[in-house]
Amino acid sequence: MSKIYLEQALVYSNDEIAQDIFELRLETPAIASEHKPGQFINIQTNPGGLPLWRRPFSIARISGDIIDIIYKVIGTGTQQMAALRPGDAADIIGPLGNSFSVEIKSGTIPLLIGGGLGFAPLIILRDYFVHREITPVLFMGAVTKAEHYYLDDPQAELMLTTDDGTLGHQGLVTDSLQRYFEDAAGHQRFAAYSCGPEPMLAKVASVCRTHGIPLELSIEREMACGVGLCQGCAIEQLPPQKKYALVCKDGPIFNAEVLAFTDHTGSSND
Amino acid sequence: MSKIYLEQALVYSNDEIAQDIFELRLETPAIASEHKPGQFINIQTNPGGLPLWRRPFSIARISGDIIDIIYKVIGTGTQQMAALRPGDAADIIGPLGNSFSVEIKSGTIPLLIGGGLGFAPLIILRDYFVHREITPVLFMGAVTKAEHYYLDDPQAELMLTTDDGTLGHQGLVTDSLQRYFEDAAGHQRFAAYSCGPEPMLAKVASVCRTHGIPLELSIEREMACGVGLCQGCAIEQLPPQKKYALVCKDGPIFNAEVLAFTDHTGSSND
Amino acid sequence: MIDIRTEIGSLALNNPILTASGTFGYGDDLPDYVDIKDFGGIVTKSLTRQPRDGNAPPRIVETASGMLNSIGLANIGVEAFIRDKLPIIREKETVIIVNIAGSRLEEYCEILELLDGEAGIDAYEINVSCPNVKQGGMEFGVSCPHLKRLIKALRKLTERPIITKLSPNVTSIEEMAQAAVDAGSDMLSLVNTLVGAAIDIENRRPILSTIFGGLSGPAITPVALAQIFKVYESVNVPIIGIGGIGSAEDVIAFLMAGASAVQIGTMNYRDPGIGLKLMPRIEAWLGEHSIERITDIVGAAHA
Amino acid sequence: MIDIRTEIGSLALNNPILTASGTFGYGDDLPDYVDIKDFGGIVTKSLTRQPRDGNAPPRIVETASGMLNSIGLANIGVEAFIRDKLPIIREKETVIIVNIAGSRLEEYCEILELLDGEAGIDAYEINVSCPNVKQGGMEFGVSCPHLKRLIKALRKLTERPIITKLSPNVTSIEEMAQAAVDAGSDMLSLVNTLVGAAIDIENRRPILSTIFGGLSGPAITPVALAQIFKVYESVNVPIIGIGGIGSAEDVIAFLMAGASAVQIGTMNYRDPGIGLKLMPRIEAWLGEHSIERITDIVGAAHA
Ligand SMILES: Cc1cc2nc3c(=O)[nH]c(=O)nc-3n(C[C@H](O)[C@H](O)[C@H](O)COP(=O)(O)OP(=O)(O)OC[C@H]3O[C@@H](n4cnc5c(N)ncnc54)[C@H](O)[C@@H]3O)c2cc1C
Ligand SMILES: Cc1cc2nc3c(=O)[nH]c(=O)nc-3n(C[C@H](O)[C@H](O)[C@H](O)COP(=O)(O)OP(=O)(O)OC[C@H]3O[C@@H](n4cnc5c(N)ncnc54)[C@H](O)[C@@H]3O)c2cc1C
Ligand SMILES: Cc1cc2nc3c(=O)[nH]c(=O)nc-3n(C[C@H](O)[C@H](O)[C@H](O)COP(=O)(O)O)c2cc1C
Ligand SMILES: Cc1cc2nc3c(=O)[nH]c(=O)nc-3n(C[C@H](O)[C@H](O)[C@H](O)COP(=O)(O)O)c2cc1C
Ligand code: FES
Ligand code: FES
């Protein structure tokens, strides 16, 4: 476990990078140096006021002392975050949770599959691999063009999809993944990592299982504490694992095969 | 009763005019034209969030379509108000409450006695008289120089006091009033109006009673509704008045002689 | 067109939003921007037999997402109400529910008898749970036999619908609900305020002159929803939901928990125009979810 | 120098701030920036005889100034606690209070007997009021005879201080307090959570898998203060105050209402370092008010 810090991080910038999607850059040397890909921070969006709980966000990128958070404005907490200005302080706890398994056999191709905001934690993973001269394949889906914020990657293979066809392939990110496997004809080694809405994750799990590819998922749950104290963020696991894991502490990264929800393959409502 | 409006008023300006004291100028033609001196507005400082109750503030000045509020930052609500920027909307209800009795016999000298923020509602009264070519005498007290925001008045007589002597006379505003009466030697007609901390008001009431001068007080109470619906803002009256009056509706302006608290003359803790 | 009308027992409401007692006066003297027609109905301030001055100040305290009050049933008394207020409000196009309170059974009966002779009252709401009056009244809200006796006595005196307003400050809300229904209550409204207190640390004493007051506002919404959910499963009369309601989502949640209509109290204070604002949002929500009648969602959260 | 030490019965505390059960784990596995010494003592998660997985998710909901939980007493069980946790925490320089919960009287007794053989436990807190476990336990918290029987049985088994943790979901908190004290409880802690619910309107069902959960946080502070105020006037044992505490002013208010010490629960989540922050502020407040000992303000709000 990495050391956990409670910090008043300096806001370096906070810009809208796509529709309602912001990139918050925070100066926090301790968390930046301690973090591992897949971990998150927990931010108090209105110190002393409401909302009562901190809000969790994946670390999307590190550059020197600065960590980047990419977030979508969906409610009170994220609205308050959008009002942060350079020079403000942000009350954060981190780095939290476990991390992706990044040690892969040489020749293995990392597949990074993200839906919507679910792409944020995969960016840092992409950076990790690219830094080690491993070229990942990135699958990124969104509802529509305006919500895509990761448009171009000269150092990796990038497959964009939109539900409405306004950018990249029309369709779901899982269609794109399926097609990729058909083309790849099965004689390569892959390691898959995914993050996004759970119906999508279930489908990704089903596709990966069919092709015998190990898959790690980054899971989101509402969190009261984020540090394993409240037991609120339980997620059901399959036997022989213990019945419930804590997303904040045992996760947020899980092997797809241990989780109960990915067992319902073929759920069609993504 | 004047008509009451619920409005999204445009913030014209919001400047710090003394230490922690702000002047908020709001564009609201309806309230500006309907108001009478002594009335107040009730502002929702964080629409949809906390604090739950609106916050009441006296109208301190009117210029055309614009009403001025002078407020001191003391807690959550006023902190939120301090963050208002020109062009923002402010959710206000007003004008509320009754008003000062401004019809005075010719030759009567209005005495306006304010302590701290308690001076705000007296400014609009001062404007009323000056506009009618009646010259009021203004007594204004504060703890220290930094808290004085009304420093100069070419059209009225102005007596400043500070507790610590950093501006004007050292002492209490009631000392200054007492001295004024001694000098005036009692052969003029006066009408007194006062607003400020209640121990001060009790003392002003006692001084005025001694000199047989009619006195109206502007009273503050915490308010849940501000419009007479909750009965929360009760203040005790002396017989033969009904036992409790509502500060938001029967007040905020009361004849000093009807209130119970001014009956305890000589209370020394101001 | 979405049908937002609803019925609570024999009462037809234009929409399910009522005002809560003590938060809307008598419905006659409202700020100009409030139109009483925006509400499905109004509930008056509790009336007692004699006028009451109410409790000594301080009477209210703001708390985290809520407030405490100990108004002490300050009201003009039933006779002045009949003389001065009823003639005005009975002309308004809305349902009029008169709330009554007393400290003895006989007092409740006298008030109801006086009112029952008057036209223009659609129902009675019986306040058995005002926690901040010293001279009793409270035992009716926390003891089944007392409650039963009271409602039975009132039932005999009127043909009009009786709504018993339940106190949340009990070990078993189901038992109280059952007692009221057994005694002939046509409907139930819940919750009244929770007993609470606040301390003035500078002066080292309780803030409220009565020490204890009633907690209301969004803070109590989860407690209200739980009690309504339970009562819906235990008795078979319409429920009027109360407790911190301030948004369209709140109203929908209360209906799904089992309320047929709701009352808005504390959130009226911030926004007396709230009736006007919420109904269009609720209609929009129903439309987006292809729900044609608002009554279709009543109790929908029950398996 | 202000004296911030306090005593609750025979327990000497370095300061009056304890952690609340279920909000600090077992005290062994804390974020690095938390120093257990900042707290006057810690209360463990409720221990049951056997390990418990806890309830199905969703287990928590954020509400207005509060939260609902239905964790369902997920814990490692008393034996694993004795084996894996107690050896670690008994070394820490703070008071250790072990909270126990059961569904039958015999279960409580077995747990306490196992613990009583172990060194390093300063007191037991008896959870009789967990509202979100299906298989009982709750009747002890809402029925005087049941509570009396339970505490009497436990009293026979130990010399260590027994703290009975009262449920706020009762008609008369004074009666429950009296029952616990009559049965031999050395102290009382209150309040546990209020029963509440929340509705998922999109899916038309309760949010929590168990429908009902426990409401905690600043929303319930006024209810906690009222019950503590009442209990302080009705029994004569030390009270540990609980309910939404998050600021120095809150701690002072709870002490003035009658608590000798307090527990912090929900507000720990936002700020697990809260123990470190509040005590200096409380000391400063006492200093400004020329109060030399923190114990001087206990019960100060009572006339
Ligand atoms: C480990 C982890 C990592 C995350 N990383 C990111 C990230 O990189 N970028 C990003 O934009 N978001 C991320 N999230 C989600 C983010 O925490 C929520 O969007 C945020 O808490 C919403 O706060 P709010 O106050 O704006 O919305 P609220 O007002 O709290 O909620 C608005 C709506 O969203 C739902 N909601 C709230 N929180 C969650 C949640 N955690 N999961 C699912 N639904 C929720 C609510 O039920 C409500 O319907 C992450 C969550 C977790 C647990
Ligand atoms: C009719 C009326 C006119 C007013 N006019 C002005 C004005 O012109 N300028 C101005 O600065 N203020 C005025 N006030 C007071 C103003 O309403 C309060 O300062 C404001 O509500 C504080 O809000 P807050 O959220 O910042 O502080 P809070 O966090 O609510 O309170 C901070 C502290 O101040 C106390 N407090 C809060 N409200 C009041 C109140 N109404 N009276 C006394 N103590 C209170 C609280 O108990 C608390 O201790 C007026 C009040 C009334 C009733
Ligand atoms: C200031 C105030 C006065 C109240 N007076 C009464 C009353 O006279 N009779 C009554 O039955 N309920 C009274 N109530 C209770 C409300 O009708 C309602 O049951 C309670 O406030 C919960 O709803 P809310 O959270 O929407 O306010 C009063 C509430 C408040 C806040
Ligand atoms: C997530 C959570 C879990 C809890 N678990 C327990 C528990 O196991 N045993 C217990 O006695 N109380 C438990 N409580 C209740 C708290 O100890 C405390 O009594 C209550 O939350 C009120 O205090 P607060 O408002 O400061 O949180 C729990 C509370 C929460 C929020
Ligand atoms: S959020 Fe509290 S244990 Fe995970
Ligand atoms: S503040 Fe509600 S009646 Fe005056």
Side-chain angles (χ1 to χ4, degrees):
Chain A
M1 282 291 282
S2 40
K3 198 161 165 355
I4 298 173
Y5 299 89
L6 167 60
E7 290 222 329
Q8 300 296 324
L10 198 73
V11 175
Y12 183 84
S13 66
N14 187 28
D15 300 318
E16 188 162 2
I17 58 172
Q19 193 178 313
D20 291 333
I21 295 174
F22 286 71
E23 183 183 62
L24 172 64
R25 313 195 67 199
L26 298 168
E27 204 176 306
T28 163
I31 297 177
S33 73
E34 198 83 27
H35 93 284
K36 300 200 190 75
Q39 289 191 300
F40 66 97
I41 60 156
N42 214 355
I43 178 168
Q44 192 174 180
T45 58
N46 183 19
L50 297 187
L52 201 67
W53 293 343
R54 289 172 181 265
R55 296 293 190 251
F57 295 90
S58 301
I59 300 174
R61 210 183 275 115
I62 305 271
S63 26
D65 288 349
I66 291 180
I67 65 171
D68 295 2
I69 303 305
I70 299 176
Y71 63 96
K72 181 165 185 176
V73 174
I74 61 165
T76 314
T78 45
Q79 265 156 31
Q80 289 162 347
M81 285 168 64
L84 286 170
R85 296 280 161 269
D88 288 351
D91 180 319
I92 60 173
I93 295 178
L96 297 169
N98 69 353
S99 54
F100 288 113
S101 309
V102 289
E103 300 302 327
I104 51 175
K105 287 224 181 79
S106 127
T108 302
I109 300 178
L111 307 177
L112 279 45
I113 309 137
L117 257 290
F119 204 67
L122 300 179
I123 296 178
I124 195 165
L125 194 56
R126 174 247 174 239
D127 290 352
Y128 178 92
F129 288 123
V130 167
H131 192 77
R132 281 160 188 76
E133 299 188 342
I134 299 168
T135 306
V137 186
L138 277 50
F139 300 84
M140 184 169 173
V143 174
T144 184
K145 183 177 173 181
E147 293 180 5
H148 263 294
Y149 54 88
Y150 194 88
L151 297 172
D152 180 39
D153 193 331
Q155 288 158 287
E157 216 177 314
L158 180 61
M159 318 270 209
L160 301 178
T161 56
T162 48
D163 294 1
D164 64 2
T166 47
L167 187 74
H169 282 283
Q170 174 162 14
L172 303 174
V173 70
T174 41
D175 301 337
S176 179
L177 182 66
Q178 187 76 54
R179 217 163 24 240
Y180 177 83
F181 285 132
E182 280 155 20
D183 297 352
H187 45 255
Q188 269 145 314
R189 234 191 343 258
F190 298 105
Y193 307 88
S194 186
C195 182
E198 288 184 20
M200 177 197 112
L201 296 185
K203 218 159 191 173
V204 171
S206 145
V207 173
C208 286
R209 195 178 301 119
T210 311
H211 294 86
I213 294 163
L215 169 67
E216 286 190 339
L217 304 176
S218 173
I219 298 291
E220 297 186 3
R221 281 289 176 281
E222 295 196 29
M223 295 181 173
C225 75
V227 292
L229 292 175
C230 75
Q231 317 242 359
C233 61
I235 186 167
E236 197 180 340
Q237 300 192 121
L238 293 172
Q241 270 75 26
K242 64 179 174 180
K243 184 149 187 205
Y244 300 114
L246 299 181
V247 172
C248 72
K249 197 156 187 171
D250 304 321
I253 313 302
F254 292 90
N255 184 318
E257 297 309 306
V258 309
L259 296 179
F261 83 92
T262 55
D263 208 27
H264 310 286
T265 47
S267 111
S268 62
N269 59 329
D270 52 346
Chain B
M1 283 292 283
S2 41
K3 196 161 166 355
I4 299 173
Y5 300 88
L6 168 59
E7 290 221 329
Q8 298 298 324
L10 198 73
V11 174
Y12 182 84
S13 66
N14 187 27
D15 301 317
E16 188 162 2
I17 58 172
Q19 192 180 314
D20 291 333
I21 295 175
F22 285 71
E23 183 184 61
L24 172 64
R25 312 195 68 200
L26 299 169
E27 205 177 306
T28 163
I31 297 177
S33 74
E34 198 84 27
H35 93 284
K36 300 201 191 76
Q39 288 190 301
F40 66 98
I41 60 156
N42 215 353
I43 179 167
Q44 192 174 180
T45 58
N46 182 20
L50 297 187
L52 201 69
W53 293 343
R54 287 172 181 267
R55 296 293 189 252
F57 295 90
S58 301
I59 300 173
R61 209 184 275 114
I62 304 270
S63 27
D65 289 347
I66 291 180
I67 64 172
D68 296 2
I69 303 305
I70 298 176
Y71 63 97
K72 181 166 184 175
V73 174
I74 61 164
T76 314
T78 45
Q79 265 156 31
Q80 289 162 348
M81 287 168 65
L84 286 169
R85 297 280 162 268
D88 288 351
D91 179 318
I92 60 173
I93 295 178
L96 297 171
N98 68 353
S99 54
F100 287 113
S101 308
V102 288
E103 301 301 327
I104 52 174
K105 288 224 180 79
S106 124
T108 302
I109 301 178
L111 307 177
L112 279 45
I113 308 136
L117 256 288
F119 203 67
L122 300 178
I123 296 177
I124 197 165
L125 195 58
R126 173 250 174 235
D127 289 354
Y128 178 94
F129 289 124
V130 167
H131 193 77
R132 279 159 191 78
E133 299 188 340
I134 301 168
T135 305
V137 186
L138 277 50
F139 300 83
M140 183 168 175
V143 174
T144 185
K145 183 178 174 179
E147 293 180 5
H148 263 294
Y149 54 90
Y150 194 90
L151 297 172
D152 181 38
D153 192 333
Q155 289 159 289
E157 214 176 316
L158 180 61
M159 317 272 210
L160 301 179
T161 55
T162 48
D163 294 1
D164 64 2
T166 47
L167 187 76
H169 281 282
Q170 173 163 14
L172 303 173
V173 69
T174 41
D175 300 338
S176 179
L177 181 67
Q178 187 75 56
R179 218 163 23 239
Y180 178 84
F181 285 133
E182 281 155 19
D183 296 350
H187 46 252
Q188 270 147 313
R189 233 190 344 254
F190 299 104
Y193 306 86
S194 186
C195 182
E198 288 185 18
M200 176 197 114
L201 296 185
K203 217 158 190 175
V204 171
S206 144
V207 173
C208 287
R209 194 178 302 120
T210 311
H211 294 86
I213 294 164
L215 169 65
E216 285 190 339
L217 304 176
S218 172
I219 298 291
E220 298 186 3
R221 279 290 176 280
E222 294 195 28
M223 296 183 172
C225 75
V227 292
L229 292 175
C230 75
Q231 317 241 0
C233 60
I235 187 168
E236 195 179 343
Q237 300 191 122
L238 295 171
Q241 271 74 27
K242 61 180 176 181
K243 185 150 185 203
Y244 298 114
L246 299 181
V247 172
C248 72
K249 197 157 189 172
D250 304 322
I253 313 302
F254 292 90
N255 184 318
E257 297 309 305
V258 308
L259 296 179
F261 83 91
T262 55
D263 207 29
H264 310 286
T265 47
S267 108
S268 61
N269 57 329
D270 52 345
Chain C
M1 260 307 283
I2 289 151
D3 191 352
I4 55 166
R5 291 168 307 166
T6 190
E7 276 166 23
I8 43 172
S10 56
L11 293 185
L13 306 179
N14 281 334
N15 72 54
I17 301 185
L18 313 170
T19 63
S21 177
T23 64
F24 221 68
Y26 308 100
D28 63 317
D29 190 15
L30 300 171
D32 305 87
Y33 53 88
V34 179
D35 191 344
I36 210 169
K37 287 203 309 287
D38 297 333
F39 290 93
I42 60 160
V43 182
T44 68
K45 175 77 193 164
S46 283
L47 296 173
T48 51
R49 181 67 190 83
Q50 301 300 330
R52 286 177 57 90
D53 292 324
N55 293 329
R59 292 178 174 184
I60 52 173
V61 194
E62 204 177 27
T63 66
S65 294
M67 65 176 278
L68 287 166
N69 87 80
S70 77
I71 306 301
L73 296 182
N75 80 98
I76 58 174
V78 63
E79 292 176 40
F81 172 78
I82 290 172
R83 188 183 62 232
D84 302 334
K85 305 292 180 180
L86 191 55
I88 300 172
I89 58 172
R90 69 156 66 101
E91 300 305 320
K92 314 229 170 174
E93 291 167 45
T94 194
V95 165
I96 307 290
I97 299 173
V98 176
N99 180 299
I100 67 182
S103 46
R104 293 164 303 108
L105 189 146
E106 297 70 35
E107 190 184 345
Y108 280 99
C109 291
E110 279 176 45
I111 301 167
L112 193 138
E113 281 180 309
L114 285 168
L115 291 165
D116 220 46
E118 302 297 325
I121 295 173
D122 296 294
Y124 303 110
E125 182 175 59
I126 315 302
N127 177 3
V128 289
S129 44
C130 190
N132 46 59
V133 182
K134 283 225 180 63
Q135 314 93 303
M138 187 65 187
E139 75 268 21
F140 296 115
V142 296
S143 138
C144 288
H146 279 95
L147 179 63
K148 225 170 190 165
R149 214 159 46 83
L150 173 65
I151 303 298
K152 266 198 182 140
L154 296 174
R155 178 72 292 168
K156 291 202 191 101
L157 302 175
T158 184
E159 303 274 290
R160 289 179 176 154
I162 291 179
I163 304 164
T164 306
K165 182 166 181 180
L166 297 178
S167 165
N169 305 294
V170 293
T171 307
S172 168
I173 192 75
E174 298 98 316
E175 282 175 27
M176 298 304 297
Q178 193 64 58
V181 171
D182 289 349
S185 188
D186 301 284
M187 300 170 228
L188 301 170
S189 59
L190 63 160
V191 298
N192 208 317
T193 52
L194 272 71
V195 176
I199 307 293
D200 173 349
I201 63 174
E202 290 305 323
N203 295 303
R204 305 191 192 188
R205 61 178 179 222
I207 297 184
L208 297 174
S209 70
T210 49
I211 304 176
F212 305 108
L215 181 65
S216 63
I220 71 167
T221 296
V223 174
L225 285 170
Q227 297 203 346
I228 290 162
F229 200 96
K230 288 179 181 177
V231 169
Y232 182 84
E233 302 213 333
S234 67
V235 298
N236 207 3
V237 300
I239 296 168
I240 304 174
I242 323 172
I245 295 172
S247 71
E249 289 74 19
D250 288 342
V251 174
I252 294 163
F254 274 75
L255 297 183
M256 288 185 175
S260 293
V262 299
Q263 295 178 10
I264 300 187
T266 301
M267 296 309 273
N268 259 327
Y269 294 145
R270 164 138 104 183
D271 215 347
I274 202 163
L276 185 68
K277 287 189 192 158
L278 295 194
M279 276 320 301
R281 292 194 202 146
I282 295 168
E283 275 187 67
W285 191 94
L286 293 170
E288 285 158 24
H289 292 76
S290 310
I291 297 166
E292 286 170 19
R293 286 176 304 271
I294 198 163
T295 50
D296 289 348
I297 61 170
V298 172
H302 293 259
Chain D
M1 261 306 284
I2 289 150
D3 191 350
I4 55 166
R5 290 168 308 167
T6 189
E7 275 165 24
I8 42 173
S10 57
L11 293 184
L13 306 179
N14 281 333
N15 72 55
I17 301 186
L18 313 172
T19 63
S21 178
T23 65
F24 222 66
Y26 308 101
D28 63 319
D29 189 17
L30 300 171
D32 307 87
Y33 53 88
V34 179
D35 191 342
I36 211 170
K37 288 203 308 287
D38 297 333
F39 290 93
I42 59 159
V43 182
T44 67
K45 174 79 193 164
S46 283
L47 296 173
T48 51
R49 181 67 190 83
Q50 302 300 330
R52 287 177 56 91
D53 292 323
N55 294 328
R59 292 178 173 183
I60 52 174
V61 194
E62 203 177 26
T63 66
S65 294
M67 65 175 279
L68 287 166
N69 86 79
S70 76
I71 306 301
L73 297 181
N75 79 99
I76 57 174
V78 64
E79 292 176 40
F81 172 77
I82 292 172
R83 189 183 60 234
D84 302 335
K85 306 291 181 181
L86 191 55
I88 300 173
I89 59 173
R90 70 156 67 100
E91 299 306 320
K92 313 226 171 176
E93 290 167 46
T94 195
V95 165
I96 307 290
I97 299 173
V98 176
N99 180 300
I100 68 182
S103 46
R104 293 164 302 108
L105 188 146
E106 297 71 32
E107 190 185 345
Y108 280 98
C109 291
E110 279 176 46
I111 302 167
L112 192 137
E113 282 181 308
L114 285 168
L115 290 165
D116 221 47
E118 303 295 324
I121 296 172
D122 296 295
Y124 302 110
E125 182 177 59
I126 315 301
N127 178 3
V128 289
S129 45
C130 189
N132 47 59
V133 181
K134 284 223 178 67
Q135 314 93 302
M138 187 67 187
E139 75 269 20
F140 297 115
V142 296
S143 138
C144 288
H146 279 95
L147 179 64
K148 228 171 188 162
R149 216 161 42 85
L150 173 66
I151 302 299
K152 266 197 181 139
L154 296 174
R155 179 70 292 167
K156 291 200 193 106
L157 302 175
T158 184
E159 303 274 292
R160 289 179 176 155
I162 290 179
I163 305 164
T164 305
K165 183 166 180 180
L166 297 178
S167 166
N169 305 293
V170 293
T171 306
S172 167
I173 193 75
E174 297 98 317
E175 282 174 29
M176 299 303 298
Q178 194 64 60
V181 171
D182 289 350
S185 189
D186 301 286
M187 301 171 224
L188 301 171
S189 59
L190 62 161
V191 296
N192 208 318
T193 53
L194 272 72
V195 176
I199 307 294
D200 173 350
I201 63 175
E202 292 304 324
N203 295 303
R204 303 190 194 190
R205 61 176 181 226
I207 297 183
L208 297 174
S209 70
T210 48
I211 304 176
F212 306 108
L215 182 65
S216 63
I220 71 167
T221 296
V223 174
L225 285 170
Q227 297 203 345
I228 290 162
F229 200 97
K230 288 179 181 176
V231 169
Y232 183 83
E233 302 212 332
S234 67
V235 298
N236 207 3
V237 298
I239 295 169
I240 304 174
I242 323 172
I245 295 172
S247 70
E249 289 75 19
D250 289 341
V251 174
I252 295 163
F254 273 75
L255 297 182
M256 288 185 174
S260 294
V262 298
Q263 294 178 10
I264 300 188
T266 301
M267 297 309 273
N268 259 325
Y269 295 146
R270 162 137 106 184
D271 216 347
I274 201 162
L276 185 69
K277 288 192 191 155
L278 296 194
M279 277 319 303
R281 292 194 202 145
I282 295 169
E283 275 188 68
W285 191 94
L286 293 170
E288 285 158 23
H289 292 75
S290 309
I291 297 165
E292 285 169 20
R293 285 176 305 271
I294 198 163
T295 50
D296 290 348
I297 62 171
V298 172
H302 294 259

